[in-house]
Amino acid sequence: MRMYDIIKKKRDGGELSTAEIQYFIKGVSDGGIPDYQISALCMAIYFNGMNVRETCDLTFAVRDSGDKLDFSTINGIRVDKHSTGGVGDKTSLVVAPIVSSFGIKVAKMSGRGLGHTGGTIDKLEAIDGFQTTLSEADFIKQVNDIGFAIVGQSKQFAPADKKLYALRDVTATVDSMPLIAASIMGKKLAADDDCIVLDVKTGSGSFMKSVEKSTELAQLMVDIGKSAGKKMVALITNMDRPLGYAIGNSLEVIEAVETLQGHGPEDFTEVCLTLAGHMLSLAGKGSVESCIEMAKQAIADGSAYCKLLEVVSRQGGNTKLIENTSNFAKAKYSCAVKCKKSGFISKVNTESYGFASLALGAGRNTAEDAIDYSAGIILNKKTGDFVEEGEIIAILYSNDESAFAKAEEILLSATEVSGSKPENEPLIYNIIT
Ligand code: URA
């Protein structure tokens, strides 16, 4: 088999065989195929797509490219949730404590920030001392002891995805449906969960910009998961605006803690409760409606908040930061962004908000970049709000004062102000079961 022929076949719109897809992923994993040929095939897939059979083959090859986790010694039902990536998306920090407070096991592997989107592992590392690497034995023991553990993905876990993702990130081939589905589901299936709830983002801050495309992606991932014997649900949620008001690592942890304490932003709280409700329901705790009520109760009675504290303590994090979030280190500098004219915020480009946060130091431009955990944005106004000329719409935080000019410019040009109030968009567009 020759990689040249595989690239040519897909370039010309052909269907790759299972053997060709396996050959490709083996070459990605063992370094046998050079980066330029991997990138060329990704671009051919980007333009010509893959059918369901090819996408399943790609997913299973990614899953099988490295170590798989064996959760058979975890007692109880294991449920995971995965987001396709967004801005201000700190749902895992709220949803996993809620669900595990009911005895459902959450053995979570999370990722770091990608492009304009934040990553749960980076957010957790904003908590001083929090260990995001555990041995498999310690990880499983913690899940059995307290119901919830969360770690980053080890190098041996779906290594083909790591290589592919790094190349897609720099060759403009991230937003391809089969490549996203195989990347996400390849990793999810290499873990050993019974049920998976997908949070498929849609809109300007997500990789899939339209509800139709996001729904198609969700359906594809649900079908892949089901074909591997998992119980699956996918929610299509709005990413045409950031979730909540905080963007940036420690700022988002603080917002997640406030949400667990019962005073989080309405939009963020609603998405968390709905995701948690579906996770509990898939795990056999009752109807979605009654499980959402249970999730509300876990926030109201403090049990979900206590679960987060327990996990932070168990993984070496400084619980004083959670108990009193004003203990988080603050950025040295802040800058108020003022609106240039009066009117309603009619539309924002959420991806650009993510890039503004990145410019402040909250994310990485290259894999080697260090993160400024205190950097980010607190929004004062969101889509639909009325603003007066000169009113503060956001506060920027950074330890690099020189970053403000660029971030402010990005934020202002990503914020449309007009004379009429925009229509309310749904927060949850669709649920695929
Ligand atoms: N998240 C992933 O893990 N992979 C993608 O391709 C997109 C989002």
Side-chain angles (χ1 to χ4, degrees):
M1 218 173 274
R2 289 196 320 155
M3 192 56 198
Y4 177 93
D5 300 321
I6 296 174
I7 296 168
K8 187 163 176 289
K9 190 175 190 186
K10 186 45 78 182
R11 183 201 67 185
D12 297 339
E15 180 181 337
L16 301 183
S17 69
T18 303
E20 285 166 334
I21 291 169
Q22 286 172 347
Y23 172 87
F24 168 58
I25 290 300
K26 180 176 176 301
V28 170
S29 313
D30 66 17
I33 299 175
D35 290 0
Y36 48 85
Q37 286 187 314
I38 299 172
S39 305
L41 184 62
C42 286
M43 192 58 86
I45 294 171
Y46 178 90
F47 280 116
N48 288 322
M50 280 183 143
N51 64 25
V52 174
R53 198 267 312 145
E54 288 174 292
T55 310
C56 282
D57 283 343
L58 187 64
T59 306
F60 299 148
V62 168
R63 173 196 65 191
D64 297 339
S65 67
D67 292 349
K68 279 183 231 143
L69 294 175
D70 175 4
F71 289 163
S72 57
T73 52
I74 292 179
N75 311 312
I77 308 262
R78 288 104 50 188
V79 185
D80 196 6
K81 94 120 231 301
H82 187 89
S83 154
T84 55
V87 178
D89 180 9
K90 68 283 300 173
T91 46
S92 290
L93 303 180
V94 172
V95 159
I98 293 176
V99 171
S100 54
S101 75
F102 290 100
I104 301 297
K105 300 299 195 296
V106 184
K108 189 139 189 52
M109 296 190 97
S110 288
R112 295 189 181 277
L114 300 167
H116 66 283
T117 68
T120 304
I121 290 300
D122 295 330
K123 289 167 204 181
L124 286 168
E125 286 177 353
I127 305 169
D128 207 24
F130 195 100
Q131 294 304 311
T132 54
T133 309
L134 296 175
S135 71
E136 191 172 337
D138 287 346
F139 180 60
I140 288 175
K141 179 162 178 16
Q142 182 175 323
V143 175
N144 273 330
D145 289 350
I146 65 171
F148 170 30
I150 182 161
V151 291
Q153 285 141 10
S154 76
K155 283 202 176 61
Q156 296 77 31
F157 188 77
D161 180 63
K162 282 191 188 66
K163 175 83 190 179
L164 275 178
Y165 200 96
L167 290 173
R168 289 167 58 212
D169 208 15
V170 291
T171 56
T173 50
V174 170
D175 43 349
S176 145
M177 200 167 308
L179 294 178
I180 294 178
S183 165
I184 291 178
M185 292 309 294
K187 286 178 293 212
K188 289 293 111 183
L189 298 181
D192 194 9
D193 290 294
D194 302 300
C195 319
I196 302 169
V197 174
L198 298 170
D199 179 6
V200 179
K201 304 289 183 192
T202 191
S204 62
S206 71
F207 292 120
M208 287 287 130
K209 309 292 185 206
S210 73
V211 177
E212 293 70 30
K213 286 280 167 210
S214 302
T215 304
E216 212 183 304
L217 173 65
Q219 185 67 63
L220 179 61
M221 293 196 289
V222 163
D223 290 344
I224 293 171
K226 283 188 177 171
S227 77
K230 309 290 176 189
K231 285 180 156 182
M232 301 288 305
V233 168
L235 274 63
I236 319 295
T237 67
N238 191 328
M239 199 25 78
D240 260 325
R241 58 190 73 184
L243 202 47
Y245 288 86
I247 308 169
N249 299 287
S250 63
L251 299 175
E252 291 191 43
V253 175
I254 294 169
E255 194 167 69
V257 170
E258 288 167 355
T259 303
L260 285 169
Q261 290 170 337
H263 40 89
E266 229 176 90
D267 60 347
F268 177 56
T269 304
E270 186 183 330
V271 171
C272 288
L273 290 172
T274 311
L275 285 167
H278 279 276
M279 289 169 80
L280 288 166
S281 182
L282 265 195
K285 288 287 186 187
S287 69
V288 174
E289 294 68 31
S290 65
C291 286
I292 290 175
E293 289 308 311
M294 285 165 65
K296 283 185 192 162
Q297 192 52 35
I299 290 183
D301 66 18
S303 49
Y305 167 73
C306 288
K307 185 58 74 181
L308 179 72
L309 262 184
E310 202 179 358
V311 168
V312 169
S313 163
R314 178 78 176 240
Q315 293 192 223
N318 181 357
T319 50
K320 291 199 172 65
L321 298 174
I322 307 297
E323 284 160 345
N324 181 356
T325 53
S326 66
N327 285 328
F328 271 100
K330 290 180 188 56
K332 239 192 273 170
Y333 308 105
S334 65
C335 164
V337 179
K338 293 183 181 160
C339 202
K340 299 277 187 242
K341 62 173 187 180
S342 301
F344 289 97
I345 298 189
S346 48
K347 195 172 169 193
V348 303
N349 183 324
T350 311
E351 184 177 39
S352 297
Y353 275 43
F355 283 127
S357 176
L358 210 77
L360 295 167
R364 300 179 188 81
N365 285 310
T366 71
E368 291 74 36
D369 284 354
I371 283 191
D372 175 355
Y373 291 110
S374 58
I377 305 169
I378 295 289
L379 301 171
N380 280 1
K381 299 284 179 184
K382 288 181 62 170
T383 309
D385 288 343
F386 186 79
V387 277
E388 297 283 0
E389 182 185 337
E391 201 177 345
I392 296 172
I393 56 168
I395 312 261
L396 313 180
Y397 294 92
S398 183
N399 284 307
D400 174 7
E401 208 175 3
S402 70
F404 287 139
K406 183 175 171 201
E408 181 174 15
E409 191 199 323
I410 299 175
L411 201 85
L412 282 174
S413 49
T415 309
E416 272 183 35
V417 177
S418 80
S420 48
K421 194 170 164 64
E423 286 201 2
N424 261 347
E425 288 166 348
L427 205 48
I428 297 165
Y429 282 97
N430 240 328
I431 296 172
I432 315 269
T433 53

